[in-house]
Amino acid sequence: MRFRLPTLLVLIGTNYIVAQSQVPSTTDSILSQQLDEVIVTATRTERQLSSLPLPVTLVGKKQIIKSGTVRLNEILNEQTGIITVTDESGFQGVQIQGIASDYILILIDGVPLVGRNAGNFDLSRLTVGNIKQIEVVKGPSSSLYGSEALGGVINIITEKPKTEDLSGNASYRIGSFTQQDMNLDLKQGFEKFRYGFFANRFSSEGYDLNEDVEGQTVNPFTNYTLNGRLYYDFNDKLSLFTSGRFYDQVQDAGFSLDSIQYEGDTKEREWNAHARLDHKWTPNLTMAYELYYTNYVAAELLADPISTDVLSDSDFDQKLFRSEARGSYTFANENDSKIGFQNGTLTAGAGLQIDNLNRTYFDETVNFTSQYLYAQYDFDPIEKLNVIAGARFDNHSEYNNQFSPKLALRYQLNNNLSIKGSIGYGFKAPDFRQLYFDFTNSAVGYTVLGYNVALDKLQELEAQDQILDVIVTEDELSKPLEAESSIGYNLGFNLKHGKGTTEVNFFRNDFKNLIDTHIIARKTNGQNVFSYMNFDEIYTTGFEINSSYKLTDQLNISAGYQLLYAFDKEKKQDVKDDQVFVRDAESGQSVALSQSDYFGLVNRSRHNANFKVYYDIPSASTNVNMRVLYRSKYAQYDTNGNGLIDSFDTSFIDGFVTINAAVSKIFYSDFTLQVGANNLLDFTDNNIPTMPGIQAFIKLNYQF
């Protein structure tokens, strides 16, 4: 079944037209754009979502619960302009405004998570069982968060205890492929002391999408998440927050090579420890002092169970320590109604970060250190105009210093319409792999070297008579590898219309110094030696529209759409200059590509859309919801060898629709039974390992 784009546009248009005839009202809180909600990620201070000059998506707890999702990748994939993409290892990362997962910073309660596979952070590691809300800031955010926030930030906010009574919930969910999810969440507060404890167990027997290939597409796995949080108020000015988190997963592994079935497992383990002291020095000045440590360990072992020959034995052990002090000063008292530079909030911070990685294919443990300073001023220079100006300076041990400015403005034209725009600089530091990797494929014979070790390793290979010729100069491998960078632009408006809201945002992101592999030498065995170099320049541009409407007190609908263009600037120019060719299948002759044949970057869909319906039946204590998601065609890799994605490639996945639905019924006040199914149209593709067809589930939750 195909979902036509015009159909969705008609739905959005109908929603908008009907909305114009209604009287003003507040937007329903279950929709993704909850205009009365407070967020902290975009400015590091509490701000109303509706007042921000930045493009932000907020996913609240009610929406998570009613959707029936259990992992972070599932709920994010239902948001406009946020696409989950599976890499070659089967891990699901996130794409925002066409910007890949490598450039999206993942936070939990404001501190970063580590453990990326080739740059991609696997979102399925994170359960949503104790999440209060998810905040997504789109576009460059390095002015506050530094490296890896080049394309945006996703911050997971956990729940705080609110009452002295013991409260929480226990739930059990079972679904297709024996997928089981169990949660226990406890919260309690006293006069000065509060605590929260959360435990989750998630498992599946896996599934197989291609019976012609030995082994399962996704192997059986079991993982556990434990999280404890403690809060202590010394007095009304001084409070302490501490948190500890533990994640552990074991997954069966199997691989068939030359008629030999290798077996083994992969193991992941993660620890997080977080402490923050909040001090309100005066009514206008607050400070926070923070310490954070995290350790992510992964190991894989694959061997022939008969001969015990080892196919793969790899380890990954990353540690990160961060200390930070930050403060916010409000220049005007709460009762001061003055407009101007004296009525605003200055936020500033300084920190130290130490990053350490020991992994297979590294000669030794590698350490990065960095120090940073940032400042931001949030003020209203004139009535109805809000301005946020900020910048950050990063000093890093392995690449040139970075200065990251950002400016955002929002103007309230009237009670129903506001305009907002922002421009910001983002950067991403070269990662450990790009600097220190040392890998030779024993079966094929090619070699991949990190930039910082490439020169020495080449000399070693030459001494072993493995190098035929070197095609780069020594000078090209001696200069420091530059950080990848981008400048992002966003311009849009928010419109309240009757019982609905519409938000439109146009975006453009220009990247330079992107790091990619490049041939640096040829080996005597006919294979190549690759290293990492700065040379790519790309851009992503398009627009997003979100519209929500409250038809009745019980019925809410919303729709969203993203148009995206993502191209390599150099390759686009080469196509324009008739410098890129493809072999015609009928004539066998090489022909130059036309500009219309160049499709763009891999894994980017031109169109993405969603349509959601939430219906409450108070008399029956029941909620029904349905979410329709559309993704247009995209290509996974270049198949004809001309170095780009064009209409002649054969790795395209056609556009498809998924429909997710759930029904919840409350019994005896405290029990909720939920029945649902994802991918109701039973869409599958061997090249999309995360979509195994219809996934039905049933869940029982006890709230106390």
Side-chain angles (χ1 to χ4, degrees), residues 9-19:
L9 295 178
V10 169
L11 290 171
I12 295 176
T14 302
N15 172 31
Y16 179 80
I17 293 169
V18 173

Side-chain angles (χ1 to χ4, degrees), residues 341-372:
F341 287 89
Q342 297 303 312
N343 185 358
T345 299
L346 175 66
T347 302
L352 166 69
Q353 185 162 297
I354 302 172
D355 210 347
N356 171 290
L357 178 62
N358 181 18
R359 66 168 295 182
T360 306
Y361 310 122
F362 280 26
D363 284 348
E364 58 186 6
T365 300
V366 182
N367 294 282
F368 288 172
T369 59
S370 62
Q371 307 82 35
Y372 58 88

Side-chain angles (χ1 to χ4, degrees), residues 81 95-99 487-491 505-511 538-544 561-569 572 599-601 604-608:
Q95 187 186 106
I96 297 176
Q97 292 186 350
I99 304 171
I487 297 179
Y489 311 85
N490 287 272
L491 178 64
N505 185 63
F506 295 87
F507 60 87
R508 167 91 182 201
N509 298 284
D510 285 282
F511 297 78
I538 69 169
Y539 71 89
T540 70
T541 188
F543 75 90
E544 298 173 5
Y561 169 73
Q562 181 194 68
L563 174 68
L564 173 68
Y565 294 92
F567 293 100
D568 184 304
K569 295 180 181 179
K572 189 174 182 180
F599 188 80
L601 302 182
R604 271 72 170 188
S605 296
R606 188 66 41 81
H607 310 286
N608 289 282

Side-chain angles (χ1 to χ4, degrees), residues 399-465:
Y399 62 90
N400 293 335
N401 298 336
Q402 295 291 313
F403 179 71
S404 309
K406 188 165 189 174
L407 177 66
L409 303 93
R410 178 182 179 274
Y411 186 75
Q412 188 74 40
L413 288 171
N414 54 50
N415 291 335
N416 296 320
L417 180 62
S418 62
I419 299 174
K420 59 184 180 180
S422 63
I423 179 172
Y425 174 86
F427 78 96
K428 179 183 178 297
D431 62 31
F432 290 107
R433 171 180 51 91
Q434 293 163 342
L435 294 177
Y436 293 100
F437 205 46
D438 180 9
F439 170 76
T440 296
N441 185 290
S442 57
V444 181
Y446 66 86
T447 297
V448 183
L449 301 173
Y451 184 85
N452 283 9
V453 300
L455 196 57
D456 290 340
K457 295 297 180 181
L458 268 182
Q459 293 172 353
E460 291 180 14
L461 292 173
E462 284 183 304
Q464 299 166 7
D465 293 326

Side-chain angles (χ1 to χ4, degrees), residues 43-45 110 141-146 288 290 322-328 346-352 371-377 389-394 403-404:
T43 61
R44 289 210 170 192
T45 57
S141 301
S142 293
S143 62
L144 284 178
Y145 295 99
E290 194 168 60
R322 192 181 82 173
S323 63
E324 181 176 299
R326 61 180 176 271
S328 292
L346 175 66
T347 302
L352 166 69
Q371 307 82 35
Y372 58 88
L373 298 166
Y374 63 86
Q376 173 187 269
Y377 194 44
R392 172 169 163 148
F393 177 78
D394 285 82
F403 179 71
S404 309

Side-chain angles (χ1 to χ4, degrees), residues 539 564-568 571-572 575 580 593-607 631-637 642 644-649 651-655:
Y539 71 89
L564 173 68
Y565 294 92
F567 293 100
D568 184 304
K571 292 176 181 177
K572 189 174 182 180
V575 172
V580 183
L593 283 181
S594 66
Q595 293 187 56
S596 61
D597 287 326
Y598 180 29
F599 188 80
L601 302 182
V602 297
N603 276 329
R604 271 72 170 188
S605 296
R606 188 66 41 81
H607 310 286
R631 182 175 184 184
S632 67
K633 75 172 185 176
Y634 62 96
Q636 295 190 311
Y637 51 89
N642 60 5
L644 51 76
I645 300 299
D646 58 65
S647 56
F648 296 92
D649 281 307
S651 68
F652 280 99
I653 293 176
D654 290 333

